[in-house]
Amino acid sequence: MSARDRLTDGLYGLGWSTVKNLPEPVAVRLGRTIADLAWKRRGKGVLRLESNYARVVPDASPERLAELSRAGMRSYLRYWMESFRLPAWSKERIKGGFDPKGLHHLTDGLAAGRGVVLALPHMANWDLAGAWVTTKLQTPFTTVAERLKPETLYDRFVAYREGLGMEVLPHSGGTAFGTLARRLRDGGLVCLVAERDLSSSGVEVQFFGEATRIPAGPALLAQQTGALLLPVTLWYDDSPVMQGRVHPPIEVPESGSRAEKTSVMAQALADAFATGIADHPEDWHMLQRLWLKDLDPTKNPAKNSVQNPAGDPAEDSAKKAPAPEKGTS
């Protein structure tokens, strides 16, 4: 293991072993302090965050974009402080930590015996929403994790999420999609982070008026299994309780080829994400290049990808290391 890998693994280990034991007011202040320091340093991650927010709020002044990026970094570090502390939260705390609207779309689908795919962008705290589902709704779900390096870091993320009640499948080996499909055909729940896919298998969509790619997996799973596809957006308000919305189902088109249906569904998913992000841009933690025109065409897009076609949160989360300078997610 290289020195850099040891450092990365050690930082995550320090977070989970130390931050989770801090008194909550101390953890909140620590997160805000780190966020403000990162914002003041104006590193690549912060500048990219502002550039992405400029697409979301096109009429924003430079001063407004700076305010948004500062709020965005605070939201981002709130995510990290909460995630490091989640394993120590009581069940009652988890149950009261999230207040989603439109929940009937999910519960009705599950009650009907249909599988359900929840697709989310990188907003607020995906892990808290997942822990709430397994704890409050007592509903297990399955997700996908990209193999990380160092291997010990991958093991940390898998253990962390399994400890919250999630089934985590490795993407490597090409069997994840088939397993997800089986879970859905059995009436199960699949949750995927799905607004960023720079691989060659992503579906091109219009997102805030410009082209990008998102994973094809959520739409393909819905088509092949008959599962509901439900977009979900998350945000923070001034309370300790995270807010969220389960959007209405994205229907499978009645006609067209598989590719055409996937394209229509992917665009509808992107539109739902855009609605939630426009309402709460500071809670969208996108500190990397997203739009196609921002990418270097001389590079292999797959090497820039942090998600696979099935929608892969783990590598993305690993790249969310709370390093003030880089601030990647």
Side-chain angles (χ1 to χ4, degrees), residues 208-243:
F208 292 102
E210 294 186 31
T212 187
R213 297 190 191 99
I214 68 172
L220 289 173
L221 285 167
Q223 290 178 56
Q224 293 188 18
T225 68
L228 286 177
L229 174 54
L230 301 177
V232 179
T233 52
L234 310 172
W235 67 92
Y236 293 123
D237 58 15
D238 294 330
S239 77
V241 179
M242 184 175 71
Q243 306 298 310

Side-chain angles (χ1 to χ4, degrees), residues 186-204:
D186 289 339
L189 177 63
V190 166
C191 299
L192 303 169
V193 179
E195 96 280 31
R196 186 171 189 257
D197 188 322
L198 308 181
S199 70
S200 58
S201 57
V203 180
E204 186 169 320

Side-chain angles (χ1 to χ4, degrees), residues 130-182:
W132 186 89
V133 167
T134 61
T135 305
K136 176 74 172 181
L137 300 185
Q138 297 185 322
T139 302
F141 67 87
T142 305
T143 189
V144 177
E146 188 76 25
R147 283 284 180 185
L148 305 174
K149 292 185 179 181
E151 188 76 12
T152 52
L153 180 58
Y154 170 80
D155 291 340
R156 285 187 191 275
F157 270 97
V158 170
Y160 161 63
R161 291 195 165 117
E162 288 181 341
L164 297 176
M166 310 176 193
E167 179 188 21
V168 182
L169 304 176
H171 174 249
S172 58
T175 61
F177 189 92
T179 303
L180 293 175
R182 286 194 294 274

